[in-house]
Amino acid sequence: MSRVEQWNSLVKDVQNAKTAREDAVQSLWEDIFSDTYYFGYSRRKGEVDAHRSIQIGSGMRTIPDIIIRDAENRTDLFVVELKQHCARFDESYKQQLFSYMRLLGLSVGILICDRLHLYYCINSSETIDLSIGFTQNNELGIQFLQLFSKGNFNPDTVRQFIESHKKREQHIDALLR
């Protein structure tokens, strides 16, 4: 099956869960990341790490929704923060994701709500981002599936993907002006 068909199927799954509670959204995305049809990570091998408790100091703890891991190398790859699919982007969601990224030492994070928001942290004060709508035949979504599939994920490639799209948007804006 082609990546276009995979993306369109994922869009349909998201649209069917548009008003689902957050726990149902959590379950859906755990399934999506562990499905060989989409991304191919293994729950059994611990590559889809849901609700890991991370201790902060002596009393506080935080629990990211999903952390995708490289089981062979025992390293975290990226973190996913989930909200209901009907929830519009909110700055507090982004800050929550960034706090997980800092705690885990990760440069890549994904926020999923009414859209898919992809972040790459260049350093402690500079990030780049890309927003991808859950629409059929969305070229960015199709590329997202490829970039984040097991065996393909590379933070540098994600950065290049975001930067190239940003440059493309700037060129289009310049032409329109």
Side-chain angles (χ1 to χ4, degrees), residues 134-149:
F134 290 111
T135 56
Q136 296 287 314
N137 302 314
N138 185 331
E139 188 59 40
L140 294 175
I142 295 162
Q143 291 174 14
F144 168 79
L145 278 176
Q146 178 68 30
L147 285 172
F148 284 82
S149 292

Side-chain angles (χ1 to χ4, degrees), residues 9-46:
S9 178
L10 186 145
V11 168
K12 187 183 285 187
D13 288 344
V14 168
Q15 289 171 344
N16 288 339
K18 191 77 169 168
T19 58
R21 293 188 346 242
E22 207 164 306
D23 61 331
V25 171
Q26 173 79 29
S27 180
L28 171 66
W29 281 95
E30 286 176 34
D31 290 344
I32 288 171
F33 278 109
S34 61
D35 191 333
T36 55
Y37 179 71
Y38 294 117
F39 295 99
Y41 295 98
S42 171
R43 279 190 208 169
R44 188 177 47 77
K45 292 180 181 177

Side-chain angles (χ1 to χ4, degrees), residues 104-170:
L104 296 165
L106 298 174
S107 57
V108 177
I110 302 169
L111 169 63
I112 299 172
C113 47
D114 64 332
R115 299 175 65 79
L116 191 147
H117 301 271
L118 178 57
Y119 296 95
Y120 181 89
C121 184
I122 296 168
N123 56 46
S124 61
S125 61
E126 186 180 2
T127 61
I128 55 175
D129 64 278
L130 178 64
S131 178
I132 302 172
F134 290 111
T135 56
Q136 296 287 314
N137 302 314
N138 185 331
E139 188 59 40
L140 294 175
I142 295 162
Q143 291 174 14
F144 168 79
L145 278 176
Q146 178 68 30
L147 285 172
F148 284 82
S149 292
K150 183 177 177 176
N152 290 339
F153 178 77
N154 180 311
D156 294 329
T157 307
V158 172
R159 179 181 180 167
Q160 292 168 2
F161 170 65
I162 295 172
E163 288 175 338
S164 69
H165 183 71
K166 292 292 183 185
K167 285 179 186 172
R168 182 174 172 237
E169 284 179 340
Q170 290 170 349

Side-chain angles (χ1 to χ4, degrees), residues 4 14 51 56 58 69 84-85 99-100 104 111-112 154 157-158 170 176:
V4 174
V14 168
H51 296 293
I56 307 171
S58 62
R69 299 183 44 77
Q84 288 180 291
H85 294 138
S99 70
Y100 297 148
L104 296 165
L111 169 63
I112 299 172
N154 180 311
T157 307
V158 172
Q170 290 170 349
L176 291 174

